[in-house]
Amino acid sequence: MVSIRLKRFGAKKRPYYRIVVMDNRAARTSETIDEVGTYHPVEAEDRQVTLDKEKVESWIAKGAQPSATVKKILNKQGVSLSRKSQN
């Protein structure tokens, strides 16, 4: 099963995360299938998230499940989490 989740980078006490698509059985530091955005929790509110909405929506349409934290981030960004048929 494929999931959309966070992959941690950065220094101690200064984390940043990449929002990635990967196999849910893989470790957090494993190879990813695709990178769809970034999340900087230490930055100002308006610069915390960069996201490729088309990629995210296409992966969700293919059946990728976002983690709980990523789901919150996507909801704040206004990304549709419903699985639409992809034509």
Side-chain angles (χ1 to χ4, degrees):
M1 181 177 213
V2 177
S3 64
I4 303 172
R5 65 188 199 188
L6 299 175
K7 188 172 183 179
R8 189 184 195 280
F9 290 89
K12 183 178 179 182
K13 308 268 184 176
R14 294 282 301 167
Y16 75 91
Y17 300 89
R18 291 182 186 167
I19 302 170
V20 296
V21 178
M22 60 192 309
D23 188 343
N24 67 345
R25 296 169 292 181
R28 179 183 71 187
T29 57
S30 298
E31 191 172 332
T32 63
I33 298 171
D34 196 7
E35 185 178 322
V36 295
T38 60
Y39 172 56
H40 298 265
V42 182
E43 293 289 329
E45 189 74 28
D46 59 335
R47 297 188 334 198
Q48 282 187 347
V49 178
T50 58
L51 204 58
D52 188 342
K53 292 182 181 184
E54 291 85 25
K55 275 187 178 181
V56 172
E57 289 172 351
S58 72
W59 276 109
I60 290 173
K62 292 175 188 174
Q65 295 292 316
S67 68
T69 306
V70 172
K71 192 179 280 189
K72 289 178 189 176
I73 293 169
L74 295 177
N75 281 333
K76 282 186 179 182
Q77 296 298 311
V79 175
S80 173
L81 297 177
S82 63
R83 289 177 67 178
K84 301 174 202 167
S85 63
Q86 193 175 25
N87 294 333

